[in-house]
Amino acid sequence: MRIVQKFGGTSVGSIERIQATAKIIKGELDNGNEIAVVVSAMSGETNRLLHLANSMNDNPPMREVDALVATGEQVTAALLAIELHKLGVSAYSFSGAQAGFKTEGSHSKARIKAVQSDHLIQHMEKGSVPVVTGFQGVDANGNTTTLGRGGSDTSAVALAIAVKADSCDIYTDVDGVYTTDPRIEPKARKMDSISYEEMLEFASLGAKVLQTRSVELGMRYNMPIHLRSSFDLVQGTMVTREDSNMERAEISGVAYNRDEAKVTIKGIPDQPGIAAAVFGPVADADINVDVIVQNISEDGQTDLTFTVPRSDYDATMALLQTLCDKMKAREVMGDNTVAKVSIIGVGMRSHTGVAKKMFDVLAQENINIQMITTSEIKVTVVLEEKYVELAVRALHEAFALDQV
Ligand code: ASP
Ligand code: MG
């Protein structure tokens, strides 16, 4: 097999961890595989470098910030190659530019345009291991660019696609994706496999195991992603295309996000264009709106309620107050102690009554649902934050997620 292995910050966070990582790589090589490696910076290093830049200048030039933070990955790539040599493995470190990562010019959030890595395939075929810096590339003018926080995952999947690997193995400090957060429900179970779509839903709810873009890329090119731990070499979770022949449970997992706030603008004139008049300025202020509910109008007036990240709560309230005055609406209300709980699973497509079951379970626990939104593979409710743990446990139990 040809495998791209990616090691995150904690897997290369110290000399000891780099030594352990080198052993994992040698092990897979000795099993007869062709290996290319992508590394993150040592854990904490990217933050440290950003902090250095900001301590010199509140608004440092982004080109130089990218040049600076890209060094974090260069350190780990070279150290890992040095360690591999010690184990008798032929290995070469490559920067993003050397490995052929061509990106757009937007610093700190560049998108990958092409990965020209044929020279790395030649190394792999000869049994040597290219060790590539994640998170970075080079734009058309030769400037170093970075891909956004957590971008090494995306580098790894992109490289796996470019070298036509059979699998992209992402080594991290958790051993897979669980049916829910084990800190809330100790009976949470590690999933053997999960579809790309489900993984995207879990990721968007704050399960920050994989950068979302890496999953989107994997989905587009059908690259299997094996999420696993470098601390405990057990089988992790395979993120793959949905297998339509498989018998699916009603749902695959329960996710939650506490980083939510709810705002309402009441008594706005119910006319064409009001949603645009409200959400236009909200979008211009770079505030991400999620769940939206518009009430049936009464006497020609309606209410609009929506959720925003909690960190944007104050800004949103201030903005809505201005709009309220301008649009002659009645009042603005808000609550920054709400949370979202979601059930997720491709099984929803073939099972009926899944949403109703969720609402029954919450009713039995006396939990009030404030807002509801659904997609083909997800039902989300907004509720008071203090009920998150109760809701998660009750749903995990009712949908028998602790059983295989
Ligand atoms: N080192 C970068 C970060 O901390 C990229 C990564 O680790 O994926 O965001
Ligand atoms: Mg990461």
Side-chain angles (χ1 to χ4, degrees):
M1 286 227 295
R2 181 176 288 172
I3 306 171
V4 169
Q5 299 182 315
K6 183 257 174 178
F7 294 91
T10 49
S11 304
V12 291
S14 64
I15 292 302
E16 292 72 34
R17 291 306 308 160
I18 291 176
Q19 289 167 337
T21 286
K23 288 210 186 79
I24 295 174
I25 296 166
K26 182 169 183 335
E28 288 293 2
L29 210 57
D30 291 347
N31 286 338
N33 298 301
E34 287 178 10
I35 308 287
V37 172
V38 172
V39 287
S40 286
M42 294 170 118
S43 53
E45 181 64 7
T46 307
N47 284 343
R48 188 184 74 87
L49 294 168
L50 285 171
H51 183 77
L52 282 178
N54 290 320
S55 68
M56 298 187 80
N57 182 339
D58 287 341
N59 197 8
M62 292 313 287
R63 181 187 184 279
E64 305 315 323
V65 173
D66 272 359
L68 177 69
V69 293
T71 63
E73 272 71 10
Q74 289 158 17
V75 169
T76 44
L79 287 175
L80 182 55
I82 291 171
E83 181 62 21
L84 283 165
H85 276 272
K86 207 170 84 191
L87 299 183
V89 174
S90 155
Y92 300 88
S93 68
F94 293 90
S95 70
Q98 290 173 325
F101 280 79
K102 311 287 181 195
T103 74
E104 287 166 358
S106 50
H107 286 292
S108 88
K109 49 175 187 298
R111 297 191 76 87
I112 300 171
K113 285 207 302 208
V115 182
Q116 292 161 357
S117 295
D118 285 353
H119 56 304
L120 302 189
I121 298 180
Q122 286 163 19
H123 280 285
M124 293 163 81
E125 283 172 344
K126 280 189 258 162
S128 96
V129 178
V131 183
V132 177
T133 57
F135 179 56
Q136 58 183 271
V138 61
D139 73 8
N141 298 317
N143 301 302
T144 297
T145 54
T146 63
L147 309 181
R149 297 309 301 271
S152 297
D153 294 336
T154 303
S155 305
V157 175
L159 184 65
I161 293 162
V163 302
K164 302 189 180 58
D166 300 294
S167 163
C168 182
D169 293 0
I170 300 210
Y171 287 84
T172 175
D173 50 8
V174 294
D175 60 2
V177 186
Y178 280 71
T179 49
T180 196
D181 185 345
R183 287 169 302 184
I184 290 189
E185 174 50 90
K187 282 189 246 162
R189 200 172 38 80
K190 185 169 70 190
M191 295 184 248
D192 294 333
S193 73
I194 183 173
S195 71
Y196 296 113
E197 281 171 287
E198 290 170 317
M199 189 64 219
L200 285 172
E201 296 288 9
F202 277 106
S204 72
L205 277 154
K208 290 202 177 57
V209 255
L210 281 178
Q211 202 197 34
T212 313
R213 272 162 64 196
S214 69
V215 184
E216 287 166 352
L217 202 59
M219 178 155 82
R220 179 138 36 99
Y221 291 91
N222 195 21
M223 173 57 62
I225 301 172
H226 184 188
L227 191 74
R228 57 186 306 189
S229 165
S230 69
F231 294 77
D232 183 8
L233 295 178
V234 292
Q235 178 77 20
T237 300
M238 288 299 298
V239 188
T240 59
R241 188 175 278 182
E242 183 187 340
D243 180 352
S244 51
N245 298 322
M246 233 150 89
E247 189 73 44
R248 286 284 180 177
E250 288 171 300
I251 67 167
S252 304
V254 182
Y256 66 92
N257 191 359
R258 296 179 194 273
D259 176 29
E260 302 284 338
K262 181 180 81 165
V263 294
T264 303
I265 176 159
K266 292 189 80 149
I268 12 175
D270 192 7
Q271 298 157 357
I274 55 142
V278 171
F279 292 114
V282 173
D284 290 344
D286 253 334
I287 296 168
N288 266 325
V289 171
D290 188 28
V291 186
I292 303 176
V293 173
Q294 181 180 350
N295 283 353
I296 302 268
S297 67
E298 235 176 279
D299 309 325
Q301 293 194 326
T302 186
D303 305 335
L304 261 181
T305 302
F306 56 95
T307 62
V308 296
R310 205 172 279 176
S311 50
D312 288 331
Y313 177 68
D314 292 337
T316 312
M317 286 296 277
L319 182 66
L320 281 195
Q321 195 54 58
T322 324
L323 290 176
C324 178
D325 300 341
K326 211 162 92 194
M327 297 167 76
K328 305 219 171 354
R330 196 163 60 241
E331 62 176 320
V332 172
M333 282 166 34
D335 181 354
N336 62 358
T337 60
V338 297
K340 257 182 350 197
V341 172
S342 303
I343 53 174
I344 295 167
V346 289
M348 267 180 222
R349 294 196 183 116
S350 49
H351 290 94
T352 53
V354 174
K356 177 198 174 284
K357 182 165 168 182
M358 178 188 203
F359 305 149
D360 280 345
V361 171
L362 297 175
Q364 261 159 33
E365 301 294 339
N366 241 323
I367 299 172
N368 187 37
I369 301 171
Q370 303 182 1
M371 300 166 86
I372 302 171
T373 164
T374 65
S375 77
E376 213 191 342
I377 63 162
K378 180 175 77 170
V379 184
T380 299
V381 297
V382 174
L383 38 73
E384 253 186 90
E385 187 188 359
K386 67 178 185 205
Y387 292 127
V388 164
E389 307 204 342
L390 180 60
V392 166
R393 282 195 209 108
L395 290 166
H396 199 268
E397 168 94 40
F399 283 99
L401 289 174
D402 55 335
Q403 290 151 38
V404 198

